Amino acid sequence: QNYCLFRDNVTDATEIMATGRLGGRIYAEDQRCRAGAMTVSGNFFEGLGLNAFLGRTLRPDDDRPGADYVAVVSHAFWKQHLGGDPKALGKSITVKEIAFTIVGVLPKNFLGPQIGRTIDVYVPISAVHPKVGVVGIMARIGACHEQKVQEQCGMLFQRAIYPHTTNDPEKSLSIVFEAAGR
């Protein structure tokens, strides 16, 4: 909900995307896999300018209620757990006890959006919405628009989100801006 508020109202960003942590067991080919998973908005890979190595990435129409449950996997996951088989597209992978159809494999050099944390499976946020805790919002900002985007986000936060936070300082929300390279 808050992600949509920023996505729909921050006008100077090229793209606004969302990510969420997703714990739980992952199974491929009926085998439990040691892998990291993440939920992402349907425009996540488009916003990063990333195309699939095989198949396709997630799209905005994958991230809506009622959409088919689809997933994209890392190149390393595809090699290690699916044997590097091009026929892995269309196979099922289970994340958080939900079956997803693999629609794409990411390029070998893409390890994830967070330095030091490898992500192997990406699923749309809407598929597991109630099970996602903290959602991170990423913005791809055009040249010379960083200050405007920060101002727009700050105003939205103060107007729409902050009034709904608790008075308990340990549970209050804040907005933090960090360069993606950090």
Side-chain angles (χ1 to χ4, degrees), residues 55 57 110 129 135-136:
T57 59
F110 182 73
H129 181 341
V135 174

Side-chain angles (χ1 to χ4, degrees), residues 52-74:
F53 167 77
L54 182 67
R56 66 173 179 87
T57 59
L58 299 178
R59 301 183 296 228
D61 60 323
D62 293 322
D63 189 24
R64 61 176 171 66
D68 291 338
Y69 288 174
V70 295
V72 174
V73 298
S74 72

Side-chain angles (χ1 to χ4, degrees), residues 67-160:
D68 291 338
Y69 288 174
V70 295
V72 174
V73 298
S74 72
H75 194 276
F77 185 92
W78 174 64
K79 286 284 203 182
Q80 182 177 359
H81 298 289
L82 301 167
D85 185 357
K87 294 179 184 170
L89 298 182
K91 288 189 177 184
S92 182
I93 185 171
T94 304
V95 181
K96 273 216 163 317
E97 301 175 4
I98 301 171
F100 292 88
T101 301
I102 299 170
V103 295
V105 176
L106 295 170
K108 188 176 186 176
N109 61 349
F110 182 73
L111 303 177
Q114 297 172 337
I115 295 172
R117 182 171 180 237
T118 301
I119 302 297
D120 293 300
V121 180
Y122 297 84
V123 300
I125 286 178
S126 64
V128 291
H129 181 341
K131 297 178 182 185
V132 175
V134 175
V135 174
I137 298 175
M138 298 173 62
R140 188 167 150 217
I141 303 171
C144 304
H145 292 289
E146 185 174 347
Q147 185 64 35
K148 286 182 183 178
V149 169
Q150 286 187 6
E151 288 170 6
Q152 289 173 357
C153 288
M155 289 187 320
L156 280 169
F157 178 79
Q158 288 298 322
R159 187 180 77 228

